[in-house]
Amino acid sequence: MALSCKTRVFCPSCHARRAVLWAEWLAGQVFAPLDHHQWVFTLPKRLRLFFLHDRRLLGALSRCAWRTVRDLYRAGLQDRHAVPGMVVSIQTYGDQAANWQPHLHALVTAGVVGRAGEFTPLPLPPAGVAEELFRRRVIRMLRQRGRLEDEAAAGLLAWRHSGFSVHSAIRVAPWDVEGVERLCRYLVHPPIALGRLRYDGTRVTYRGRRVHPATGAESVTLDPLEM
């Protein structure tokens, strides 16, 4: 398209169109008319640099999240082939847009599909259990890949406040198509929101939560090249 940079993820204008089309496809073609929950998986600061210098670990992190959800929903079921439906999006930025914060957003069915194709609705697993299982899977994965020594892994497991977090409180009903699309767009939203940008012809102002990491200010004004 004319005057379009076609930049994936970073450009808040070009990527917004991609996000809308992806959300419409996901909600219309992939998702079944079932209850879904949004799950968010976060990591302690000490481990984030591993994923900055080896991006392949982000795929392994997604698999840790998938196996955590799968095993929690399977617990107590006789059908060991039952699985939940799950879509995972990897995000590597936080509120400040430029800060490195790898974490996962996922939409998960509120239950499992068995071998015969029938859906069994299930209650949400306890958040504390999900967090502990996710923590142990990630630490084990980093040990297996040579990123953590045994002593460091044992120290992380001993932390009372681990720095890991699993949040799954947001629910979307099966008839709420707009809600599903909205969550799908949020899964792949760009680090810079177009609605927070203002351009007066010479300067660009961006507003958000804790935009300036040093002062905590909620806005920053730059010339276009600095931006």
Side-chain angles (χ1 to χ4, degrees):
M1 296 176 62
L3 306 179
S4 173
C5 70
K6 303 181 181 66
T7 303
R8 179 174 175 266
V9 178
F10 180 75
C11 177
S13 179
C14 295
H15 184 72
R17 178 175 177 271
R18 293 173 181 265
V20 168
L21 293 176
W22 185 78
E24 289 179 353
W25 168 76
L26 199 62
Q29 303 295 325
V30 177
F31 277 87
L34 304 169
D35 284 342
H36 290 79
H37 290 274
Q38 182 192 24
W39 290 59
V40 182
F41 301 82
T42 58
L43 299 170
K45 291 182 179 179
R46 179 175 176 180
L47 300 182
R48 294 175 188 173
L49 282 179
F50 293 133
F51 298 87
L52 175 62
H53 298 296
D54 185 356
R55 302 301 176 92
R56 293 172 298 180
L57 292 176
L58 292 169
L61 182 67
S62 296
R63 288 188 288 275
C64 289
W66 155 246
R67 290 165 183 157
T68 296
V69 175
R70 179 199 62 191
D71 292 350
L72 286 172
Y73 272 125
R74 271 184 185 172
L77 296 179
Q78 293 183 348
D79 186 356
R80 305 309 297 170
H81 296 277
V83 292
M86 185 171 179
V87 175
V88 181
S89 171
I90 302 168
Q91 294 187 4
T92 57
Y93 44 85
D95 292 336
Q96 299 169 14
N99 61 320
W100 176 255
Q101 186 180 337
H103 60 288
L104 306 174
H105 286 257
L107 282 180
V108 184
T109 55
V112 296
V113 177
R115 176 182 287 182
E118 76 283 0
F119 179 76
T120 302
L122 295 170
L124 271 174
V129 176
E131 178 183 315
E132 182 63 21
L133 181 57
F134 179 62
R135 173 170 76 148
R136 290 181 178 276
R137 287 193 181 280
V138 172
I139 292 174
R140 183 172 63 183
M141 179 270 291
L142 292 174
R143 285 180 60 194
Q144 291 173 343
R145 292 173 179 255
R147 299 304 190 278
L148 282 177
E149 300 291 338
D150 290 346
E151 183 178 350
L156 287 169
L157 289 172
W159 285 3
R160 182 178 178 184
H161 302 289
S162 69
F164 287 85
S165 174
V166 177
H167 184 270
S168 57
I170 297 177
R171 171 185 170 272
V172 59
W175 57 84
D176 187 5
V177 178
E178 291 184 0
V180 172
E181 289 191 12
R182 186 165 55 250
L183 276 179
C184 291
R185 290 196 299 271
Y186 181 73
L187 256 64
V188 291
H189 73 274
I192 294 179
L194 191 61
R196 295 180 179 180
L197 281 173
R198 294 292 182 272
Y199 179 57
D200 63 9
T202 58
R203 305 281 284 176
V204 179
T205 299
Y206 185 74
R207 298 185 180 277
R209 291 185 297 171
R210 302 186 303 277
V211 169
H212 198 290
T215 65
E218 296 185 353
S219 67
V220 60
T221 300
L222 306 165
D223 66 48
L225 291 180
E226 286 177 320
M227 184 67 183

